[in-house]
Amino acid sequence: MAETVIGYVLRRLNEIGIDDIFGVAGDYAFPVNDAIVEHPTINWIGCCNELNAGYAADGYARMRRVGAVCTTFGVGELAAMSAIAGSYAENLAVFHLVGAPNLATQEGRALVHHTLGTGDFDLFRRMAEPIVCASAVMTPQNAVSQTERLIAEALYHRRPVYLAFPSDVAGMPVLGEAPPLNPPSSDPESLAAATDAVAAALDNSGQACVLPGMLLRRLGLQGAATAFIDACGLPFATMFADKSVLGEDHPGYIGMYAGRLMEERVREFVESCDVVVMIGALLTDGNTAGNTVRLDPAKTITIGHHRTTVAAKIYRNVEMIDILARLTGRITNSFQQPAIAPGTLGPIVGGGEDPITADALYPRWANFLRPDDLIITDTGTSSLGLAFAQLPKGAQFHNQTLWASIGWATPAAFGAAIGARDRRLILITGEGSHQMTVQETGQFGRHGLRPIIFVLNNSGYLSERMLCKDMALAYNDIAAWNYAELPHALGCQGWFTASVSTCGELDDVLKTAEQADGAAYIEVITDAYEAPPLYRKLHENVESFYNVQ
């Protein structure tokens, strides 16, 4: 039997690493849904809503470097758009499969459900164009060539792509052939010139350092970057979005670079270097600690995905993988490691009936982490509170720094757990974020996953309280929930659950969660205005954070 349009797409997605597709079923998407369920090596992972499914695909892509989400036309795809936009901002290759009305319905401009009643069936694809790097409406004639093009575009840009399947087209046999497209190679002359320029800058410098970025993780080039750093003896620091992209147990790691907000010794060293090499890092407001970093462009080398910049000179068509390989062993200079140890969150303080303060909480969480843990943190105080925890060997820290959509972490953690079932996963989220997407907690239990979930309950949106003009404004208040009762209500049987408000209670439940061979869900109650040190600094520099003068 000839391979169908959707069959070909699923086979190719499976071949590039997608074993699970997240989504919500819908009548226009039934042919695509059916094909996924019937596929021998791809699992359908149903989610509670399309936004959560998109976030789950995002988390999965952080583990596998590719992910996929399936929605129905109109209402489903629009519900997923914020998640797709987040994957675009955070350089994640997510494939968005959309089931659309059949060709006769579209050609007749019929007034059918899930449309605006205008007869325009291309509208939603056009709406998606700014948040994907490529899109296609599948036909039997173009399915093979467009699939190969979209795979190549998604992997080249590390961005989402959009695939629409009219419901009667999905099951039609493909017509035509096309070979998989090879990844691009560097322009030899530009690569040689860029390598020479970087090598000269480093060899002529007295002191240099590296700022590795999240693109290394998206591209799977952590090993290549580490080999380059080791060969040169270069020290490195990381910015917030890039935390743990290289191991924080590495001897060259000096800590977090957070501009003028924290870790002054790290800031002084980085900004005093003759050369700073950024590898896949971006100077966003979150990464620049509210625009408080001061990197001299004339002393900065930026090794990007497809080009390298040395001072003001741009070398285009230079692939990151190629220049890292060329530079490894090329540098003759020998750099000294500064006498800077990575910062920590300090000792364990408080005990017994003492209330849980930020200074008591975050060091305990840091102490709880094990080698190879996956730590997923939501936008807000919880993620910033752990920014300066030095992670053990192999542990990964994930947050959504640029898109910064609260509610991302719970479904993203679910997707990450599906994508890396063999690793212990710790989700740390604020209760305000958690309320937005809490339904997906039930999926952990449904799929036999055993996360450890901490819900930081500080009675509202503390991150916004710290930044707005009046911390008591009503728009930062939220409903009071009984969080420890949620796992059972959402079908998570046998989980350890607790609600704690004192240091002694927290110590007890951390010990239990550490020893238990199962899932744990722990509500941690703090004062409404109890913020970690980094957020207190942001509060003091709120005008700098928003670049308001």
Side-chain angles (χ1 to χ4, degrees):
M1 181 181 293
E3 194 167 31
T4 64
V5 170
I6 185 58
Y8 183 85
V9 171
L10 294 181
R11 176 170 65 81
R12 290 294 291 122
L13 294 184
N14 193 221
E15 288 172 352
I16 65 171
I18 294 173
D19 298 323
D20 308 271
I21 296 179
F22 303 87
V24 177
D27 54 358
Y28 295 136
F30 281 165
V32 178
N33 303 153
D34 292 344
I36 296 171
V37 170
E38 295 165 4
H39 196 279
T41 55
I42 294 179
N43 302 307
W44 168 263
I45 309 292
C47 293
C48 298
N49 60 55
E50 291 88 354
L51 176 63
N52 289 0
Y55 285 148
D58 180 297
Y60 187 92
R62 290 167 187 260
M63 302 298 106
R64 301 288 190 92
R65 290 191 276 148
V66 285
V69 58
C70 178
T71 66
T72 197
F73 182 80
V75 293
E77 59 184 304
L78 294 189
M81 283 185 74
S82 182
I84 298 299
S87 295
Y88 188 100
E90 303 273 328
N91 289 104
L92 290 156
V94 172
F95 292 79
H96 188 184
L97 283 59
V98 177
N102 63 40
L103 293 176
T105 297
Q106 294 192 42
E107 290 165 359
R109 299 179 66 86
L111 304 182
V112 296
H113 62 286
H114 298 343
T115 72
L116 301 181
T118 63
D120 184 353
F121 287 89
D122 194 48
L123 172 63
F124 304 126
R125 184 197 63 81
R126 298 198 306 273
M127 290 174 69
E129 282 186 345
I131 57 171
V132 296
C133 66
S135 65
V137 178
M138 294 304 199
T139 70
Q141 291 85 358
N142 75 9
V144 175
S145 61
Q146 290 294 340
T147 298
E148 297 307 330
R149 179 181 72 87
L150 292 175
I151 289 174
E153 294 277 14
L155 299 183
Y156 178 80
H157 296 287
R158 291 290 153 177
R159 309 276 198 190
V161 293
Y162 177 106
L163 301 81
F165 299 85
S167 58
D168 54 342
V169 168
M172 292 180 180
V174 295
L175 302 173
E177 298 179 358
L181 300 176
N182 293 323
S185 57
S186 298
D187 174 78
E189 291 186 5
S190 189
L191 174 61
T195 304
D196 290 343
V198 174
L202 288 171
D203 282 337
N204 293 326
S205 67
Q207 184 62 63
C209 72
V210 173
L211 296 175
M214 69 176 183
L215 268 175
L216 290 171
R217 181 175 281 156
R218 305 291 188 259
L219 298 169
L221 295 180
Q222 301 100 311
T226 301
F228 163 64
I229 286 170
D230 288 345
C232 304
L234 282 163
F236 69 93
T238 51
M239 296 181 286
F240 182 53
D242 314 312
K243 181 175 175 60
S244 79
V245 69
L246 299 184
E248 295 186 356
D249 62 315
H250 189 284
Y253 177 63
I254 62 172
M256 296 292 292
Y257 175 44
R260 280 158 171 72
L261 298 187
M262 301 281 285
E263 296 294 300
E264 180 62 17
R265 293 186 68 198
V266 175
R267 183 199 68 78
E268 287 182 350
F269 174 75
V270 170
E271 295 180 4
S272 69
C273 282
D274 301 309
V275 174
V276 176
V277 185
M278 293 174 49
I279 310 176
L282 298 175
L283 295 177
T284 65
D285 59 351
N287 256 5
T288 59
N291 304 308
T292 66
V293 305
R294 297 292 183 269
L295 294 177
D296 184 348
K299 298 179 179 179
T300 302
I301 294 171
T302 302
I303 299 177
H305 192 175
H306 305 299
R307 70 181 193 178
T308 291
T309 304
V310 181
K313 176 68 173 177
I314 298 174
Y315 300 88
R316 296 178 175 82
N317 305 314
V318 174
E319 296 299 304
M320 184 184 291
I321 187 173
D322 295 333
I323 192 168
L324 287 177
R326 287 283 189 96
L327 288 170
T328 301
R330 169 73 183 271
I331 311 304
T332 60
N333 203 345
S334 179
F335 297 99
Q336 290 187 337
Q337 185 72 19
I340 302 174
T344 70
L345 296 181
I348 302 295
V349 298
E353 296 301 313
D354 294 336
I356 299 172
T357 64
D359 293 336
L361 174 60
Y362 290 98
R364 282 174 165 82
W365 271 341
N367 197 49
F368 182 75
L369 304 178
R370 294 181 192 163
D372 297 320
D373 276 350
L374 295 176
I375 304 107
I376 312 291
T377 63
D378 225 322
T379 298
T381 51
S382 58
S383 59
L384 290 175
L386 281 172
F388 294 93
Q390 187 175 4
L391 302 184
K393 181 179 177 64
Q396 291 184 13
F397 180 91
H398 293 269
N399 67 89
Q400 198 189 50
T401 304
L402 180 54
W403 189 240
S405 178
I406 67 171
W408 163 84
T410 298
F414 167 60
I418 290 288
R421 290 176 179 264
D422 58 332
R423 300 181 69 169
R424 188 175 82 151
L425 183 137
I426 297 172
L427 164 63
I428 299 178
T429 178
E431 93 284 18
S433 299
H434 198 45
Q435 284 193 9
M436 292 192 166
T437 52
V438 67
Q439 314 97 313
E440 232 57 38
T441 302
Q443 303 291 356
F444 288 100
R446 179 185 183 189
H447 291 274
L449 304 169
R450 316 303 288 173
I452 298 173
I453 299 174
F454 294 100
V455 179
L456 176 58
N457 184 353
N458 45 34
S459 301
Y461 301 127
L462 178 57
S463 58
E464 292 186 1
R465 291 193 199 279
M466 297 294 294
L467 296 174
C468 69
K469 65 180 182 180
D470 182 351
M471 295 178 74
L473 286 168
Y475 55 65
N476 289 319
D477 298 335
I478 62 173
W481 287 8
N482 297 318
Y483 292 94
E485 297 177 15
L486 288 176
H488 179 74
L490 295 172
C492 301
Q493 305 303 320
W495 283 28
F496 168 70
T497 65
S499 179
V500 300
S501 59
T502 69
C503 289
E505 292 171 339
L506 179 58
D507 289 333
D508 290 341
V509 299
L510 288 174
K511 190 175 298 182
T512 301
E514 180 67 39
Q515 295 171 351
D517 184 21
Y521 184 100
I522 300 163
E523 176 192 16
V524 180
I525 301 172
T526 68
D527 180 80
Y529 304 133
E530 189 60 44
L534 181 54
Y535 234 107
R536 296 198 291 264
K537 287 286 187 179
L538 281 174
H539 187 230
E540 295 168 5
N541 293 270
V542 65
E543 289 190 353
S544 173
F545 186 75
Y546 284 111
N547 200 28
V548 175
Q549 301 299 327

